[in-house]
Amino acid sequence: MSDKKTIAVLPGDGIGPEVTAQAVRVIEQVNGVFGLSCTIETQPVGGAAYELHGHPLPPSTLDLARSADAILLGAVGGPQWESIDRQLRPEKALLGLRSELELFSNLRPALLFPELADASTLKPEVVSGLDIMIVRELTGGIYFGGPRAIEGEKGSRKGYNTMVYSEAEIQRIGHSAFQMAMQRDRRLCSVDKANVLEVSELWREVMIDLGKSYPEVELSHMYIDNACMQLVRAPKQFDVMVTTNMFGDILSDAASMLTGSIGMLPSASLDSRGKGMYEPVHGSAPDIAGQGKANPLATILSVAMMMRSTFGNEPCAAAIEAAVKATLADGFRTGDIAADGQAIVTTEEMGTAVVDRVSKS
Ligand code: IPM
Ligand code: MG
């Protein structure tokens, strides 16, 4: 792969700039080691963009995101923007990027690194070897459905949203999930609330129909409340889970905590052509921003997902993941993943350790 690729880097707020800086060093390293020519272009997003341009997703940022081959995003948000108009809050940039670029397929792995088995609040035997992939629908459902409003006079106001899915929307996320299952253990659990919601009844029906095209995949169904319970009771029963935008928001937070180290989890949001936005699952952590304490591994692992899913470069993705594993095995720990008494490295030292370990195997 020697053709030129542009990666849009949107560092965002809080620890976003620190963690993306280390991920960019890894991109530069794989450029050299694998002979790639990925160019980096940077634009502000979220609160940082609001401060500069008065909007969390200004045209210059959206244009870059549209024209780039892939996007690497740090994190958005912070207490200073919590009271501004809803339309201008940093989170709106995320929702805008997702819908404008039609990034409907959100992949959120929950993978436990053996070196960090003690980091989970669950018993090691419950989580050791955990490897779940949550496929969350990201551009539809109650997040984007209408009508939606708060209306009426104070004292008798109503607030409402609409959870709506078309068959086409369910089919495309379904295909994503079945294909993911085909690359893994071939088990797919579709999560819904079909005992109460019509939209879920349709979801389930469409998933069952789709399943006929993927006879090798074992399809099961679970209600969202039970899925949450099973996730903390016996998480290793799951391989791939597919669900709606809001259920996926909730399930993926729960799943991330099973690993005990949200600072380790990457994610991808893909369109139908495989273009994607890659970002750590963790947020902007304003309390530790600018102190060199943040764990850059989730963002670095997001680069690995980018190499795999958008650039189709499995050797490069595997090399980055192997470098992260080696870094952990060699004992490098940021504060969030350090056990009592273990030495703590800075964000930059962690980045350097990974850069030093990236090699063609
Ligand atoms: C996530 C976040 C976002 C979401 C917020 C920040 C809008 O929680 O990516 O999971 O709800 O999708
Ligand atoms: Mg969330």
Side-chain angles (χ1 to χ4, degrees):
M1 189 183 83
S2 60
D3 49 332
K4 286 195 166 32
K5 305 279 184 199
T6 304
I7 300 174
V9 174
L10 314 180
D13 308 320
I15 60 172
E18 299 159 62
V19 294
T20 48
Q22 299 312 312
V24 165
R25 293 178 63 205
V26 172
I27 294 171
E28 285 160 355
Q29 183 72 4
V30 294
N31 264 341
V33 174
F34 285 85
L36 317 180
S37 39
C38 300
T39 352
I40 307 287
E41 287 189 41
T42 305
Q43 284 289 339
V45 74
Y50 173 78
E51 297 302 334
L52 279 169
H53 302 289
H55 196 282
L57 184 57
S60 49
T61 302
L62 184 56
D63 288 348
L64 173 65
R66 273 192 213 285
S67 65
D69 297 291
I71 302 151
L72 181 69
L73 186 136
V76 297
Q80 62 270 56
W81 303 293
E82 263 160 26
S83 51
I84 63 177
D85 177 42
R86 173 178 297 277
Q87 295 308 316
L88 295 174
R89 285 192 207 152
E91 292 76 14
K92 264 282 167 190
L94 277 184
L95 299 172
L97 283 163
R98 290 170 184 174
S99 68
E100 289 293 325
L101 304 182
E102 279 196 78
L103 306 172
F104 68 92
S105 178
N106 184 210
L107 311 179
R108 296 190 166 187
L111 183 83
L112 189 88
F113 287 80
E115 292 82 2
L116 304 177
D118 293 336
S120 177
T121 48
L122 273 75
K123 296 190 190 105
E125 63 268 27
V126 176
V127 290
S128 72
L130 184 83
D131 181 0
I132 301 175
M133 178 66 84
I134 296 185
V135 180
R136 169 189 177 193
E137 200 291 324
L138 202 59
T139 52
I142 198 165
Y143 272 50
F144 293 97
R148 58 190 295 159
I150 301 175
E151 62 183 27
E153 302 290 315
K154 201 161 182 166
S156 59
R157 288 176 298 172
K158 278 184 188 157
Y160 51 87
N161 290 84
T162 306
M163 194 190 271
V164 51
Y165 275 110
S166 68
E167 291 188 70
E169 284 176 301
I170 304 169
Q171 277 159 0
R172 74 176 178 176
I173 192 65
H175 279 299
S176 267
F178 276 106
Q179 282 158 16
M180 179 57 66
M182 287 296 289
Q183 294 163 29
R184 295 174 44 109
D185 203 31
R186 304 192 170 186
R187 290 181 294 120
L188 177 62
C189 179
S190 170
V191 176
D192 61 38
K193 191 70 187 176
N195 51 344
V196 178
L197 305 175
E198 281 79 1
V199 59
S200 278
E201 197 180 313
L202 181 67
W203 175 279
R204 189 176 285 215
E205 200 184 304
V206 172
M207 286 294 167
I208 290 171
D209 271 352
L210 262 190
K212 293 174 188 149
S213 316
Y214 297 89
E216 300 95 331
V217 177
E218 181 195 312
L219 174 67
S220 61
H221 306 272
M222 216 176 252
Y223 300 137
I224 176 67
D225 49 349
N226 186 29
C228 288
M229 184 172 78
Q230 296 300 330
L231 210 47
V232 288
R233 191 187 71 86
K236 283 189 274 181
Q237 68 185 284
F238 298 111
D239 176 27
V240 180
M241 303 176 91
V242 61
T243 192
T244 59
N245 204 340
M246 187 162 71
F247 295 162
D249 180 43
I250 299 165
L251 269 187
S252 62
D253 259 29
S256 71
M257 262 302 125
L258 299 174
T259 71
S261 41
I262 197 165
M264 297 293 303
L265 299 177
S267 75
S269 306
L270 305 173
D271 73 6
S272 55
R273 295 173 306 278
K275 174 169 171 172
M277 177 161 84
Y278 297 82
E279 55 182 308
V281 166
H282 63 70
S284 59
D287 52 319
I288 58 161
Q291 301 169 31
K293 290 183 179 168
N295 182 351
L297 294 180
T299 316
I300 291 171
L301 288 166
S302 298
V303 174
M305 285 188 95
M306 177 190 294
M307 292 298 156
R308 176 174 293 122
S309 298
T310 293
F311 298 147
N313 193 334
E314 178 59 36
C316 180
I320 297 170
E321 287 164 353
V324 168
K325 269 186 151 304
T327 298
L328 291 174
D330 290 343
F332 289 84
R333 298 285 186 276
T334 41
D336 58 313
I337 52 173
D340 282 345
Q342 230 172 349
I344 289 175
V345 301
T346 65
T347 309
E348 189 174 348
E349 287 164 342
M350 191 66 122
T352 303
V354 176
V355 166
D356 289 347
R357 285 164 181 75
V358 171
S359 64
K360 247 181 183 156
S361 61

